[in-house]
Amino acid sequence: MARSRGVWSLLCAEEAAECWAPLQRSEGFICHVNADVTVEGTVYIDGRSPIAKTDKDFICATLDWWPPDKCDFGNCSWGKASLLNLDLKNIVFLNAIKAFSPLKIRLGGTLQDKVIYQAEDNNQPCIPFAKSSSALFGFTPGCLPLTRWDELNSFFNRSGALITFGLNALHGKSIQSNGDAIGPWDFTNAASLIRYTVKKGYNIYGWELGNELCGNGIGARISPHSYAYDTIVLHDLIQNIYKGVSIKPQIIAPGGFFDKGWFNQFIAKANGSVNVVTHHIYNLGPGGDEHLIGRIRDPSVLDNTVGVFKDLNNIVKNSPNSASAWVGESGGAYGSGRNGVTNTYVFSFWYLDQLGMASSYDTKTYCRQSLIGGNYGLLNTTTFVPNPDYYSALLWHRLMGSYVLSTKFSGTKKIRAYAHCAKQSKGITILLINLNGNTTVKGKIDFNGTLVDLHKHRHHHQRSKVTRLLPHRKQDSGNVREEYHLTALDGNIQSQTVLLNGKALTVDSSGAIPALEPIMVNSSEPIKVAPYSIVFVRIPNAAIPACS
């Protein structure tokens, strides 16, 4: 069958499958494939010791400042998703956050460095952002009213979320024609907001300084020496304002794109003032790229952030200061993502792979851009109904524990494999992502060179320092494992509906988030990963030293 050029060929060519195009959408032709190929493979897991450890609340999402007239590539996708106009009374929104218990939420984004905080002792009008082509970042400065700050904190308290707030790092600085922001940070306005927050008893997990001002910067940049000095000022400010408070908020910076030399200098000069070093990731390129789906499914593209994670991990580990690394913002495709792609099932390939890769390099927290807003929100901007990535995040949060295991897959390059100690239970959890739309993969498990048949008792007595199996017990269901298979509705990877074990995940009429129930599979069977599917596998009776 003749194939059209562009996205259709990108989707179909390597599958060697029969494709047709009954639909045309923003991303081009939809590819349907005949899944008639089965390959066998092996998941190799080294169970001797963990290779990394994440925070138990690893999953994080962002809320931004963008007004409704923020547009990218001719698409205005933010609606009323700004911190200033978000509907805090929406029950689906509240339930979606509460389902994580807790969800970390980072408040910030490009316009945070143009936000003015209303002060209690200042009666001047609180003027919102206004679009301006001549202004930095395309908008005039905007004001956060204290009444809105009260409303936000009341909502966050009800939701149980852990909040980090991004402060304006450009206040008081002079921006030169070459983009350099020079001069000391004027912290007086930030201090007034922080004092008000403490006075009202609002819980803030962390205060972050600046957004994308490190390295070459986006719109403006601050030198590592100056940024370190400003961070020390913020640290001292927090120590003073939170005096007498036993658990103080985290100091977080710089919240921008990784630059090895810049980050090295910043961490060295910050002199222990920063608790969390944050960086941002948009490794798929612009949301306007019509070949975005092809990039999401390309293992070499997915691997292009390995160097960043590795380099930052080395810098943090080798620093005398006890800071940890977070991904502070990551939307994959910059410019608010791409409708029909970054808010659909296919984006979970990229998202879950990022979570697995980041955790493997000791990243403690991963903040997805965004919780709501743009074309890459976990929730629909208008209805608040969860997009597929929301359920991917929730399954990760509930199944993947903090301890990360060295994991490899042999058999095909189109399987992405990760494993952690299970969360709040015995055993391990494996994540397998099938990037191939024409191949079913049957995977066996090999713990450090010993192929494990979890069904047979005889393995209990094998001499192995690496792996042993727990005796069959009723509470562990003995010889069975839990499996959570995610697939797209009707096999359309650009669907905004995801199926869990064949059943569509939807909120009910009361706005409740659906239960995420596994199927039980005999542990002697290989793990079956269907084309374009994602599988979480919890194996409760796999006992390894790394998880003991």
Side-chain angles (χ1 to χ4, degrees), residues 159-222:
S159 72
L162 301 176
I163 301 302
T164 68
F165 185 90
L167 295 165
N168 181 345
L170 291 179
H171 197 64
K173 291 185 181 291
S174 173
I175 301 176
Q176 307 302 294
S177 58
N178 65 355
D180 287 343
I182 62 174
W185 176 48
D186 183 348
F187 60 84
T188 52
N189 189 230
S192 71
L193 178 69
I194 297 170
R195 287 194 181 95
Y196 178 83
T197 300
V198 173
K199 173 185 172 182
K200 298 287 282 190
Y202 300 148
N203 291 320
I204 300 296
Y205 184 84
W207 295 97
E208 184 175 29
L209 185 62
N211 180 83
E212 296 177 358
L213 301 173
C214 57
N216 291 326
I218 302 296
R221 60 179 175 266
I222 301 175

Side-chain angles (χ1 to χ4, degrees), residues 525-537:
E525 297 294 323
I527 301 168
K528 185 176 180 181
V529 190
Y532 285 150
S533 75
I534 297 163
V535 185
F536 286 89
V537 182

Side-chain angles (χ1 to χ4, degrees), residues 340-374:
V341 180
T342 56
N343 50 9
T344 69
Y345 172 81
V346 69
F347 208 46
S348 279
F349 296 164
W350 168 83
Y351 180 38
L352 286 172
D353 189 68
Q354 275 284 299
L355 297 181
M357 187 184 299
S359 62
S360 298
Y361 289 95
D362 220 35
T363 302
K364 302 303 182 185
T365 292
Y366 193 106
C367 298
R368 166 67 180 264
Q369 173 84 345
S370 63
L371 176 55
I372 187 168

Side-chain angles (χ1 to χ4, degrees), residues 135 183 256 272 316 325 485 530:
V316 170
H485 293 254

Side-chain angles (χ1 to χ4, degrees), residues 322-450:
S322 57
S324 60
W326 287 16
V327 172
E329 179 185 315
S330 182
Y334 63 81
S336 302
R338 184 177 181 87
N339 189 35
V341 180
T342 56
N343 50 9
T344 69
Y345 172 81
V346 69
F347 208 46
S348 279
F349 296 164
W350 168 83
Y351 180 38
L352 286 172
D353 189 68
Q354 275 284 299
L355 297 181
M357 187 184 299
S359 62
S360 298
Y361 289 95
D362 220 35
T363 302
K364 302 303 182 185
T365 292
Y366 193 106
C367 298
R368 166 67 180 264
Q369 173 84 345
S370 63
L371 176 55
I372 187 168
N375 289 314
Y376 38 34
L378 296 180
L379 307 176
N380 182 285
T381 303
T382 305
T383 65
F384 294 82
V385 169
N387 285 322
D389 281 3
Y390 171 85
Y391 294 110
S392 294
L394 190 56
L395 280 169
W396 177 288
H397 177 75
R398 292 181 177 177
L399 297 173
M400 304 292 270
S402 295
Y403 290 103
V404 186
L405 306 173
S406 177
T407 309
K408 291 183 172 64
F409 189 88
S410 174
T412 170
K413 293 181 180 179
K414 285 290 191 172
I415 288 286
R416 312 290 283 189
Y418 300 96
H420 288 215
C421 298
K423 193 167 190 176
Q424 296 180 339
S425 70
K426 297 174 181 176
I428 66 168
T429 302
I430 300 170
L431 167 63
L432 299 174
I433 305 166
N434 190 351
L435 303 176
N436 194 307
N438 191 42
T439 301
T440 295
V441 177
K442 291 184 177 180
K444 297 181 180 180
I445 308 165
D446 191 319
F447 288 90
N448 219 41
T450 302

Side-chain angles (χ1 to χ4, degrees), residues 208 210-214 253-259 263 278-281:
E208 184 175 29
N211 180 83
E212 296 177 358
L213 301 173
C214 57
F257 294 102
F258 181 72
D259 179 303
F263 272 67
T278 46
H279 67 112
H280 295 180
I281 293 176

Side-chain angles (χ1 to χ4, degrees), residues 185 187 227-239 273:
W185 176 48
F187 60 84
Y227 219 125
Y229 178 81
D230 295 340
T231 305
I232 292 170
V233 170
L234 175 60
H235 172 272
D236 294 345
L237 187 67
I238 294 299
Q239 293 297 313
S273 62

